[in-house]
Amino acid sequence: MRNVVPTSVRRWKKGVAVMGEGQSPRAGIDRKAVAELGTEVLDWRHKAVPAALHGRTAAEFGSGSVRLSDLQTPLLTLDDAALRGNVAKLAAWCERHGVRLAPHGKTTMAPALWAAQLEAGAWGITLANAAQLRVARRFGVEVLMLANSLTDPQAIGWVAGQVAGGARIVSWVDSVAGVRRLQDVLDAADAGPLEVLVEIGGHGGRTGARGVDAALEVAQAVRAASRLRLGGVSGYEGALSHSWDEAGLAPVRAYLNDFRRLHERLAADGGYDTDEVILTAGGSAYFDDVVEILGPCAAPGVEVILRSGAYVIHDDGFYRGISPFSRQNPDAEDAFVSAMHGWARVVSRTEPGLAILEGGKRDLPVDEGLPVPQGIARELGAPLQPLAGARITAVNDQHAFLAYPAEVDVRPGDVVRLGLSHPCTALDKWTLMPVLDGTADPANPSVVGTVRTFF
């Protein structure tokens, strides 16, 4: 991944993002540990790597000498230019709007991508559970947000130990019972204090205290707990809607207005235990609404922090249609670009107009829409030809059903490139993915890096 932002990440090398001159010390990640991913020897455990390339390190594999045509299917690839562009676009947008970004790292679980996001100015990395936090700490991420409540005693004790050792880990709490649970476990371990944010939820949503009054009760309980410190307000609007029409935006905006009222009540009553208040919301679908409603709350001592995570990979499905940058025109110049594609061969063509591909649920995401055929070629690395009228009608564990017009010439062994929806359930199926650069040869791009995941 080269030239993500002009002052920081310059290129992909040895399977990781490598810093250029003038690197910023603000990025709290162990760049040496990330770079060491390039020394991993590739073998049968890496399903994206054909047997002919076993024995190479990730650095050698991603050095530019391997081409798309050298790989095997089924396959998921990442695009170098799209990754760079997506990271830079949201970083610049956040800077223009005076907000920070703590990207949700659970989307990729890829330290190399976290490094690129941190070097582009991210406040820290958001994660969803203690196991993911351990991955981040292994790679030296210093500032973390747990977008969840801590209830497991092992996790609470581990987080308290990490905080005592100098890490900053901010977690959430959404009930008085949850506050008591934290306090009791920390009392027993004689540990803490921990920094928590009171989470406000929306009716029909996921977690979070339901409504301003309930959230105020939680905040009061936190302030009364000797081993906790109230650092702000948190929440997630994305679970309230899956569309951006007027009906879809109404519950999102109503929720965000409740969020703002909660903060204003706490601020007016001196309800925070810190001089650096955090207000955090915002997935990858409605971050513009978050900034419109919560952005005016930003002030000295108050930071509005988005947590968008899917944007770095983006997609050709759900996020392409709902992202604030592409709702009106998915192909707009400033829109995010899908950085992931699936590749699968035809293994069977036993009925007219129906071909069976080798990639299925174990290889490709299907929870937010089926893959979309984007082109067909006789071999990997050959120019793609249009597949007008073709569609994926169903998927099994290891197969996909490709329906196509009878006049289209489809043969066993042909390769279909697939547009995918929902990066969160795409990357978790691959331990290592090649990063492609098609600058010199768009049909047969070079492998210029690798992304290693830890799901």
Side-chain angles (χ1 to χ4, degrees):
M1 183 176 171
R2 294 166 290 182
N3 302 320
V4 172
V5 286
T7 58
S8 54
V9 178
R10 295 291 182 86
R11 61 194 182 281
W12 282 93
K13 185 177 180 182
K14 298 185 178 179
V16 300
V18 178
M19 291 295 299
E21 302 241 349
Q23 61 194 31
S24 168
R26 65 186 173 184
I29 193 166
D30 184 343
R31 293 188 289 276
K32 181 179 178 182
V34 176
E36 286 174 353
L37 292 172
T39 67
E40 183 174 8
V41 177
L42 306 181
D43 54 26
W44 56 269
R45 294 168 295 177
H46 307 92
K47 68 178 183 178
V49 182
L53 299 177
H54 288 178
R56 297 194 185 193
T57 64
E60 293 167 339
F61 181 65
S63 66
S65 61
V66 175
R67 310 294 288 271
L68 176 63
S69 57
D70 297 318
L71 305 180
Q72 67 181 31
T73 55
L75 178 66
L76 189 143
T77 60
L78 301 179
D79 181 83
D80 176 62
L83 289 170
R84 291 187 287 112
N86 293 344
V87 170
K89 285 173 185 175
L90 191 55
W93 190 88
C94 288
E95 185 173 359
R96 287 197 306 272
H97 288 83
V99 299
R100 303 295 302 274
L101 175 65
H104 211 321
K106 59 91 178 173
T107 297
T108 66
M109 287 306 294
L113 294 178
W114 298 346
Q117 292 168 309
L118 288 165
E119 291 300 331
W123 172 89
I125 297 295
T126 299
L127 292 165
N129 59 40
Q132 294 173 3
L133 288 176
R134 290 198 300 270
V135 174
R137 290 298 296 141
R138 165 62 182 82
F139 287 91
V141 181
E142 296 174 353
V143 179
L144 292 158
M145 184 179 299
L146 178 68
N148 222 332
S149 295
L150 283 166
T151 58
D152 182 275
Q154 296 286 346
I156 295 169
W158 181 84
V159 167
Q162 295 295 305
V163 171
R168 184 180 185 187
I169 301 177
V170 181
S171 63
W172 299 3
V173 65
D174 70 353
S175 68
V176 173
V179 172
R180 290 172 181 157
R181 174 69 167 173
L182 278 169
Q183 179 73 18
D184 289 347
V185 173
L186 293 171
D187 275 343
D190 192 21
L194 295 184
E195 183 179 3
V196 298
L197 310 179
V198 60
E199 180 190 2
I200 183 169
H203 293 288
R206 200 163 55 194
T207 54
R210 296 305 198 247
V212 173
D213 290 340
L216 285 170
E217 291 181 10
V218 178
Q220 291 165 1
V222 171
R223 295 210 68 198
S226 61
R227 297 184 186 273
L228 300 177
R229 298 291 180 268
L230 181 60
V233 180
S234 62
Y236 177 55
E237 75 293 337
L240 302 174
S241 179
H242 267 61
S243 68
W244 60 273
D245 56 16
E246 185 175 348
L249 289 177
V252 170
R253 296 178 69 84
Y255 164 75
L256 291 170
N257 280 307
D258 279 350
F259 187 120
R260 180 169 175 169
R261 281 192 289 272
L262 172 61
H263 161 64
E264 290 171 345
R265 289 275 299 275
L266 286 169
D269 295 341
Y272 294 117
D273 294 320
T274 177
D275 294 329
E276 298 179 1
V277 174
I278 293 172
L279 306 180
T280 179
S284 295
Y286 305 109
F287 58 80
D288 57 336
D289 296 285
V290 172
V291 169
E292 179 183 341
I293 294 172
L294 299 184
C297 298
V302 180
E303 293 232 79
V304 174
I305 301 178
L306 304 179
R307 301 189 312 278
S308 311
Y311 79 97
V312 63
I313 303 295
H314 198 52
D315 68 13
D316 281 313
F318 175 71
Y319 285 109
R320 174 179 167 85
I322 203 170
S323 166
F325 289 0
S326 57
R327 291 172 186 167
Q328 302 295 338
N329 179 10
D331 297 313
E333 184 177 351
D334 60 349
F336 296 128
V337 177
S338 179
M340 64 176 179
H341 294 100
W343 306 80
R345 289 186 187 273
V346 175
V347 294
S348 178
R349 195 201 62 178
T350 55
E351 298 178 21
L354 176 65
I356 307 300
L357 308 183
E358 61 188 336
K361 298 176 185 176
R362 299 289 179 87
D363 310 297
L364 307 170
V366 298
D367 60 310
E368 289 286 0
L370 294 174
V372 177
Q374 295 181 327
I376 190 169
R378 295 294 179 222
E379 287 295 341
L380 272 177
L384 291 170
Q385 302 302 317
L387 257 178
R391 60 194 178 94
I392 301 296
T393 61
V395 292
N396 299 149
D397 283 354
Q398 311 288 178
H399 297 94
F401 292 70
L402 174 71
Y404 61 93
E407 64 271 17
V408 177
D409 183 15
V410 175
R411 308 175 189 175
D414 286 354
V415 179
V416 177
R417 192 181 86 168
L418 298 162
L420 307 175
S421 182
H422 202 195
C424 299
T425 52
L427 272 66
D428 64 348
K429 296 168 175 55
W430 299 84
T431 56
L432 181 139
M433 289 156 288
V435 179
L436 304 180
D437 180 358
T439 303
D441 186 349
N444 193 22
S446 300
V447 179
V448 295
T450 59
V451 167
R452 179 70 159 85
T453 63
F454 294 88
F455 284 95

